[in-house]
Amino acid sequence: MITHEQIEAVKKLRVLTERLQNLKEKWEKAQPTVCVEPSQLFTKAWQEAEGDPIDVRWAKAYALRLEEQPIAIRDGELVVGSFTSQPKGVYVIAALAPYRVLDMLGKFQIERRLSATSTATIDERDAELLREDAQYWVDYMPPDYIGKALREELGEDHFELMQDRALVFEGPFLKAERQSAFQDMLSAWTGSPHPRVNVINTGLKRIQELAEAEMEDIMDKGVRLSHKSSDAYRKYVFLKAMVLTCKALITFAERHAELARKIAEKETDSSRREELLQIAECCEWVPANPPRNFREALQSLRFMHMALRMEQPGRPENAMGRVDLILYPYYIRDLQEGKITRQEAAELLGCFWLKTAEIETLETIAEWFAPGALLPNCTICGRDKDGKDVSNEISLLVLEVLRQLKIAEPGVYIRYHDGMNPEFIRYALECNRDYGGGNPAFVNDGLGTDRFLDRGVAMEDAVDWCTSGCLGYHADCADHEFGVAHLNLTKIFELTLHNGIDPKTGRQLGLQTGDPATFTALEELYDAFFKQLDYFTEKLRADYFIRRSIDLEHSPQSALVGILHFEDAIRTGLLPQRGGSKYPALFSMEWVGDRGVTDVSDSLAAIKQLVFDEKQVTMAELIEALNADWDGREELRQKCLQAPKYGNDDDYADSIFVHVWNKTQEILQKRPDPFTGLKPFTFKGAAAGHIIHGRAVGATPNGRMAYTPINDGATSPMPGMDVNGPTANINSANKVSVRELRGATHNMKLSKQVLNTAEKLDKAAVLIKTFMAGGGWHLQFNIVSSEELVEARQQPEKHRNLIVRVGGYSAYFVDLPLQLQDEIIARTMHGMA
Amino acid sequence: MITGKIFNIQRYSIDDGPGIRTTVFLKGCPLRCKWCSNPESQNAWPEIVHRDSFCHRCGTCITACPEKAIVLGDKGIEIDRHLCTNCGRCAEVCPYNALEMVGQEMLVDDVLSEVRRDAEYYRVSGGGVTASGGEPLSQADFVAELFARCGEEGIHTCLDTSGYASPGAFKKVLAYTNIVFFDIKHTDPERHEEMTKHQNGVILDNLQIVVKSGVDVIIRIPVLSGLNSTVEEMADTAKLIRDSGLNKVHLLPYHKYGVGKYEMLDREYPLEDLVPPAPEELEAIVRMMNKYSLDCEVRI
C-alpha cells in the first residue's frame, strides 16, 4: 500500500526538467511526416521471401524493417527507440492499406492534408516512392477469398450492410470495398497483445534458445504426431519465425547502441557523451537479456512496446500492460542500493512517456477511427491473487509524469478497489484535475478479475489483466482479439421505423416488420425492433464465421505475438487465438458489439410520451418529420428533445433504457461463438465510432438531426441531457449490468471547481466508490471548463495544449473534428454554478 | 398533507454541509440581500423566468399570454412584470424551454423520494439533506416534517438559514436538525438594514436559541468588500461568534454567478460594481478570526 510519505515525496519531484522541456517542445513543434522506408522494406522482404512458409515470410517482412529502417537518437533523450527518423513520423505499410495510401497521396497533391483533422507532410520524392509501392500492391492483389465466399454464401445484398454502404455494420474490416492486400482481418486476428512481465524479465536471447531447442527436438525426433498431420512441421516453422524475430529485435536494439556510440564519438559535451555511452550499454544488453536495473527495464519495455506498433501500425490498440508491476522490482532495488534517486527515475520515466508519442499511423489520422489516438493504455494498481493491493511507487511516478508532462497519450487506467489508500485516490483525482482532461481513468479491479473467473480461469491468472482500447481488457495468459464488428442500433431502429427499408436509398435491407404508423402500442414497436436486431445479428454472425475461418486459413501467425506468449507458443506452436494458451476456450472473441443503445431508448421514451401516452403527435406525423430532418417541425423536435432522457435517474426513461439494453444483450448473446461454442461477450466501446455510425442515420425521435453523431459510449447519457448531476448519472448507469461486456465506457464531465479542495476530491472519490460498488466498469471524469472549450473552439491556436478525452482515449481538443468539439461542449457541466 | 414551495432540488451538493448532499431549495425569503445570488428564491410565489440563449424569437409566448405582458424587444422578449400574473401559460407553450416556471408545490413524500435516491452516497460520504433557500424557516412546518422523516430513515439533516425567522419556527425545526449553517452578515443593525432591508435583532436572538439547543453550528459569513469586510467589522463579528460559544466559521466570498438570473427575472442587479474579494483580503480575515480562536476557512 502506498503511504502518505511516498505521495508527498513524489509530489515534490520535477518531471519537467530542462531536458524534458526541450524534448517536449521539439516534439510539439514537429510536423507529422510520412516515412516511406518501412513500407518499401516490407514490400522488398515480402517479395524476396516468396516461397517461404507464410509465418516465416511475414516474420521476414518485419525483420528487414528492424534491420534497415532509419533510426534516430534525439538530442538529450535518455530512453531511445525510434519508429522513424522523424520526431512525429507517420508509419505506413502500403501493403496493409494500398487504396487508402493512394487516396491519401491524391489528397496531398491538392492540399497536403490527410483528413479533416490532421495534416502531415511528405517529401515529393517519398510521395512518388510510396505511390509506386502502393500501386505494386494494387496490381499484385492476391485473390479475395473472403469477398468471394461472402458473395457466394450470403449474396451480393450482404455487402449493402457494410460500413461504406448502409452502415448497419461498422468495423474497420466490414467494408464492401476491399482494403488490404492481405486478408482483411489480418491485424485483428493477431489479437491486441501487450508486453508481459515475463518477457521483459526473461529476455529475448533466452526465448530464442528455448525456441531453438524445441525446433531441434522436432527435427531430431521427426514425426511425433500422426504421419498424416503436418502439425509438427507447422510448429517448427512458427518457431523458426520466432527465432528470426528475436534476432531482428535484438539487432534493432544493437543498431541504437551503435548509433549512440557513433554520436558519442563526436559529442563535445562530456556529460552528454557519458549519457550516450550509457544508452549504448543499455541497448546492447536489453531486450536480449534480463534487465539489470531500472533504466534497462524501462528501455526493454520501450523496445517491446514499440515492436508491436511497428509490426502492424494499423493494429487498433497497443497497450503497455501493467507498467508499475513490470518496473517496480528494478526500481526499488536501485533505489535501496543508492543507484538511482526518485528524481532520476521520474525523469527517465518522463523520457519514456514522451517516446510513446513519437508515432502516427494512418489510423490515428483517420477521422472515423479514433482521431488522434493510438491507445497505448497504461494500467496501474490492482490486487494480487491473495487480494493484496499491489500499487507501488511506480504507480505514483506514472501519475506524476502524467500530471506534469501533459501529453494526450498514454491513457492511464487505475485498477480501483476499496482497499486502496484513500489518500492515493485523492492524489489520482488531483492529477486528473491538473492534467486537465480525463486522465487517469478508473476501472473496476474486482469486476475485471471476476470476468475471467467466470470463464474458468484460475485466480492467479485471472488477476493478471490490463486494459486495452476504449475500453476493454485482456489477460496476460491469453490476451484477446479486437472487437471488429459493431451493429449500428440507431440505423436498425431507423430501418424499423420504415418497415425494413433504408430511407436513404429506398432499398429493403431488413425484414418487413410492419408499418409503425399502424402500431397501437409501444410493445409492437419494441417487437419490430428486436426482430430486426435478431435478423442483422444472424447476418453478422455468418459474416464472422466465414471471414474468420478464411482468415485462419490464409493469414500468418505473428511471431512477435508468439514471443510475447513464448511459454505457450513454444509448447503449442500456436497463438492464443488459435488455441495456444492454457485456456483455449477463453479466446471467445467479442465478435459482436453495438452502438446506439441510448439513441434507441431515448427515441422510444419520446415516442412513448408523445405518441402513445400523451397522443400529442401520431407516429405517421413523427416519421414524416424525421424524413424531412425536422424541416418545418422544429417545435416537434424540441418536444422530442425535452422528452425524458436516460441518465437522470428518472425511471420513465431509464426503465426503457434497461429494457433495450437487456434485450439487446440477450439477442446478441444467444448465438454461441462459432469457434468456441461459448456465449460471446459483447462490446460497447467508444472512440469515435459513433460519429461514423451517425453519418448513415437520418433524424431520430430523440431529437437528433440527420447524419449527426449518435451517442458515444455504453452507459454515457446523450451529451448535455444528463441534467441531474453526477450521482443521478451514476445511478442511471448502474441500472444495467456490464459484467458480460468485453468493453464499455462511462464518461462524465466535471468542472475543476468541484475538485478544488481536498474535501471535494474525497467527495468525488465517493462517486467512484459507488459506481464501482454498483458494478460499473470504467469511469472517466473529463475535467475542463466550458468557457475554456468554447474559446478553444473559436481560437484553436491559443489552446493547443488543451487535452480532452472522449470515450476512453485522449486527444488534443483542437485536433478533434468540430462535431466532436461541439459535443464535448454540450456535455452537461456538472457542478457549475 | 403538508406541501412546500420548492424551486430546486440539487443533487451532489458538495458545498452545503458534510459529505455529498441533496439540497432542497425553498422559495420565499423575508430578506432582500443586495448580493443575493438566488433572486428567484426571494418571492414566495412561483415566477416566470426567461433564458434568452434558448429563445428563438418565435413569438409563441406573446400570442399565448392572456395579460398581453410579453413583447419582443431588441434584446429578445421582455415581460412586463406589473402585468404578469405568473400564470405560467407562456412556459407551457414555449417550444424551446426558454420560459420556465420557477417554484412548485411539492409534498414531503415527493421531496423525500427524490432525496432518498442518493442515500447510498450519503452513507458512504457522511452526507445527507440540506434545506436552503430562500429562507427555509419561512416554511418551518414543511422543513420540520421533511427533517423528521429523514431522521427516521437515518438521513443526516442540515439547515442553511439566514437566521431571520420566528423563534417558534426555529424550535420546530431544530428538534430534527443535525447541523445548522447560520449566516451572520453584519453585527450593526443599521448596516444590516442597508444590506438586507432588515435589522439584525431577530437574527442575533435566534442565534442564542440555536446555541442553547446544542445542535452543531457553523457560522457562514458572506464576504462583501466595502459592505462588511473591514477589519473592524469582521472583528465585531468574530467577537460575537466567540462570545456565543461557537468556533466554526466559513467565509463565503462574494461571486457574480447570480447576475444572469436577474436578467431572467427582468430585474436590475443591485451591485453592478461590487467585485469579489481578493485572496489577500480573505487571508487577512482568516488570520483575524484565528486570533479569536475561531476555526475559519474560506469556502470556494
Side-chain angles (χ1 to χ4, degrees), chain A residues 448-468:
Chain A
T449 301
D450 282 350
R451 282 165 169 161
F452 290 109
L453 292 175
D454 284 356
R455 299 230 147 173
V457 174
M459 186 52 124
E460 56 179 19
D461 293 324
V463 293
D464 220 349
W465 56 268
C466 66
T467 69
S468 71

Side-chain angles (χ1 to χ4, degrees), chain A residues 634-635 638 642 648-649 651 724 726-728 730-731 753-754 756 759-760 763-764 766-767 769-770 833, chain B residues 11-15 17-20 56 60 94-97 114 117-118 120-121 124-125 257 297 299-300:
Chain A
E634 183 57 26
E635 284 179 32
Q638 290 298 330
Q642 287 158 34
N648 292 296
D649 199 9
D651 295 330
N724 284 348
T727 55
I730 287 173
N731 287 359
Q753 195 198 355
V754 306
N756 60 6
E759 185 189 321
K760 288 185 195 176
K763 288 179 184 181
V766 173
L767 294 175
K769 188 183 169 78
T770 315
Chain B
R11 296 164 67 174
Y12 198 64
S13 289
I14 51 175
D15 293 306
I20 292 172
H56 282 52
T60 312
C94 175
Y96 306 103
N97 248 1
E114 195 60 24
R117 286 183 174 271
D118 283 350
E120 183 59 15
Y121 301 90
V124 178
S125 70
Y257 294 142
E297 55 178 294
R299 304 294 294 188
I300 41 162

